[in-house]
């Protein structure tokens, strides 16, 4: 299978030439990370799919977890033993990076997927449905550089789908919202514009929201194991335990990821403002430029809440997330200063430690 079927194009060829043409180093060939298993990778090169491992020079030069290759990355490979395995020597510059903060107190970035054109934010139309959580996913999506699209799955099991669609559309102005049923094949035609040949889409959401079922349906075969949700709370059991990339029959590329138990946001690059564009638009009419939209007189945002134009819970979530991102930013700056002062690099064993398991999903 040609790497063009995995998204290789003139743009990637140009980046390749800028990085590796006539470098005088080892002879490299391009490949894409199609499987991220935490401690090892599956890579697709022109000669076929094989296992890949990091070159020692690359491994020792990586300081932070976000620098490691991730699912969807294009990398430089030296093929070994006739192509039976490959050594990864570097990563081409990414055009989009979907990332979050690792669970716990550690100030490290965890990359969910790279070089994604469209990010499907998946929520099931059962007890998994949560508008406030989707607002957080939208911040991550806008920060990534990928185009966010909301998928409301299991539409066949919902009796009030229209009202939930309308509720989600109010919380995600300007973002496409599609109600689908992978099992019944309902609404899938609306996804075709995102699934063109060479285009990469990724799915993210909580466990049991139907990501793996959607992958199987779009690919036309059972590639991912699925399980029924638990009775009583509609929460899913973990079935996808690693990140994997597949080519769909019509040429599109799809990435499945493990379900997230929680989403801790990484640094903000305008995602908060875009996810809450309505609040920022209202804030321009506030009497005070530094209005916190809490108790100030002449606050246009509070007036919108009082008049019913803006949902109060949306404003509360905006405040909460804004504080979280400010705190995260201050912690990240302290960590960078500490690293700069000590001039210590993260050891290979520790820097790989965050990848050794998926217990934060």
């Amino acid at each position: 299978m040609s790497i063009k079927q995995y998204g290789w194009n003139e743009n990637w060829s140009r980046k390749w030439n800028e990085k590796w043409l006539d470098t005088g180093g080892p002879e490299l060939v391009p490949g894409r990370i199609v499987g991220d298993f935490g401690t090892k990778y599956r890579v697709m090169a022109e000669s076929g799919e094989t296992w890949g491992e990091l070159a020692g020079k690359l491994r020792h030069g990586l300081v932070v977890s976000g620098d490691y290759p991730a699912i969807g990355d294009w990398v430089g490979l030296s093929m070994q033993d006739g192509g039976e395995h490959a050594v990864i020597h570097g990563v081409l510059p990414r055009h989009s990076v979907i990332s979050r903060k690792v669970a716990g107190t550690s100030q490290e970035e965890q990359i969910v997927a790279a070089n994604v054109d469209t990010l499907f934010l998946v929520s099931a139309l059962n007890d998994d449905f949560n508008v406030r959580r989707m607002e957080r996913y939208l911040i991550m999506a806008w920060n990534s550089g990928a185009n966010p699209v909301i998928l409301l799955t299991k539409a066949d099991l919902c009796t009030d789908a229209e009202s939930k669609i309308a509720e989600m559309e109010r919380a995600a102005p300007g973002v496409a919202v599609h109600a689908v049923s992978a099992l019944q094949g309902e609404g899938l035609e609306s996804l075709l514009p995102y699934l063109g040949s060479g285009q990469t889409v990724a799915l993210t959401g909580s466990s049991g929201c139907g990501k793996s079922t959607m992958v199987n349906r779009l690919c036309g075969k059972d590639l991912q194991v699925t399980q029924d949700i638990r009775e009583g709370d509609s929460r899913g059991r973990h079935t996808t335990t690693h990140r994997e990339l597949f080519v769909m029959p019509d040429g599109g590329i799809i990435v499945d990821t493990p379900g997230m138990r929680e989403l801790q946001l990484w640094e903000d690059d305008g995602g908060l403002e875009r996810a809450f564009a309505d609040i920022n638009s209202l804030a321009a009419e506030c009497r005070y430029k530094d209005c916190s939209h809490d108790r100030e007189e002449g606050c246009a945002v509070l007036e919108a809440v009082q008049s019913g134009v803006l949902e109060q819970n949306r404003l509360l979530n905006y405040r909460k997330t804004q504080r979280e991102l400010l705190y995260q930013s201050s912690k990240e700056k302290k960590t960078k200063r500490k690293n700069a002062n000590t001039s210590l690099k993260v050891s290979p064993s520790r820097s790989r430690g965050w990848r050794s398991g998926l217990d934060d999903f």
Side-chain angles (χ1 to χ4, degrees):
M1 181 174 286
S2 170
I3 58 173
K4 289 184 179 179
Q5 293 175 271
Y6 282 81
W8 185 260
N9 53 34
E10 292 183 1
N11 181 53
W12 289 115
S13 181
R14 176 183 56 79
K15 290 184 178 183
W16 177 272
N17 291 335
E18 291 173 354
K19 185 175 180 67
W20 279 308
L21 187 65
D22 299 328
T23 60
E27 183 178 350
L28 303 180
V29 297
R32 194 171 196 187
I33 304 291
V34 298
D36 184 347
F37 295 85
T39 57
K40 54 186 177 179
Y41 303 93
R42 290 295 288 177
V43 292
M44 176 60 69
E46 194 67 43
S47 59
E49 187 175 338
T50 187
W51 287 107
E53 61 181 355
L54 300 183
K57 183 178 180 180
L58 174 62
R59 185 190 302 275
H60 290 292
L62 297 174
V63 177
V64 296
S65 55
D67 292 338
Y68 276 85
I71 189 77
D73 268 328
W74 286 100
V75 295
L77 305 170
S78 60
M79 308 305 292
Q80 309 291 318
D81 300 327
E84 291 187 8
H85 70 278
V87 176
I88 300 171
H89 290 269
V91 179
L92 286 182
R94 299 155 173 158
H95 76 73
S96 66
V97 183
I98 301 162
S99 62
R100 66 171 190 163
K101 193 185 86 66
V102 298
T105 59
S106 178
Q107 293 300 126
E108 291 187 86
E109 178 185 16
Q110 184 180 58
I111 298 181
V112 178
N115 301 319
V116 170
D117 300 298
T118 301
L119 179 59
F120 287 155
L121 306 173
V122 187
S123 177
L125 287 166
N126 54 16
D127 290 346
D128 178 67
F129 184 83
N130 188 314
V131 171
R132 303 285 82 86
R133 184 176 65 218
M134 184 58 71
E135 289 169 345
R136 294 176 63 83
Y137 276 90
L138 281 166
I139 295 171
M140 178 183 70
W142 285 125
N143 283 333
S144 73
N147 178 50
V149 172
I150 296 174
L151 296 191
L152 301 179
T153 59
K154 306 184 182 181
D156 56 309
L157 303 178
C158 182
T159 58
D160 60 342
E162 291 301 321
S163 65
K164 288 187 175 180
I165 293 172
E167 185 179 359
M168 192 64 76
E169 287 176 337
R170 289 193 297 271
V175 177
V177 179
H178 302 281
V180 298
S181 170
L183 285 178
Q184 302 297 324
E186 298 174 2
L188 299 185
E189 67 283 351
S190 66
L191 307 184
L192 294 178
Y194 314 110
L195 307 177
S197 180
Q199 295 293 301
T200 300
V201 301
L203 297 91
T204 189
S206 58
S207 298
C209 66
K211 298 186 303 299
S212 295
T213 302
M214 182 65 63
V215 169
N216 291 341
R217 183 76 187 200
L218 293 176
C219 291
K221 52 186 175 181
D222 292 337
L223 297 171
Q224 298 290 74
V225 176
T226 61
Q227 294 186 34
D228 293 332
I229 59 174
R230 296 194 299 257
E231 294 183 6
D233 63 1
S234 296
R235 298 304 299 274
R237 304 179 179 93
H238 290 299
T239 51
T240 300
T241 58
H242 56 271
R243 304 168 185 87
E244 199 159 3
L245 180 153
F246 306 98
V247 175
M248 291 176 282
D250 293 335
I253 302 149
I254 192 165
V255 178
D256 193 13
T257 64
M260 293 187 185
R261 288 196 183 99
E262 62 174 326
L263 172 58
Q264 293 193 46
L265 296 168
W266 187 237
E267 59 188 18
D268 185 38
D269 189 24
L272 178 70
E273 183 175 351
R274 297 190 70 174
F276 292 92
D278 53 343
I279 293 179
N280 283 283
S281 178
L282 288 166
E285 304 299 323
C286 290
R287 180 180 302 175
Y288 305 107
K289 290 184 178 181
D290 60 347
C291 184
S292 64
H293 321 307
D294 189 5
R295 297 183 178 87
E296 295 91 341
E297 293 185 4
C299 175
V301 175
L302 292 178
E303 291 175 2
V305 171
Q306 293 169 359
S307 64
V309 172
L310 178 67
E311 186 181 356
Q312 183 175 21
N313 285 338
R314 179 167 170 80
L315 175 58
L316 293 175
N317 198 34
Y318 169 80
R319 290 177 184 158
K320 175 185 175 182
T321 309
Q322 185 181 51
R323 290 194 300 268
E324 176 186 337
L325 287 169
L326 288 172
Y327 177 76
Q328 162 67 15
S329 178
S330 67
K331 292 280 287 185
E332 184 184 350
K333 288 178 181 177
K334 288 180 180 178
T335 300
K336 288 181 178 179
R337 286 198 299 268
K338 181 179 179 181
N339 291 338
N341 291 335
T342 58
S343 299
L344 293 177
K345 290 186 177 181
V346 178
S347 67
S349 60
R350 182 175 182 271
S351 62
R352 289 290 281 178
W354 71 275
R355 298 173 53 79
S356 62
L358 292 165
D359 55 354
D360 56 326
F361 281 86

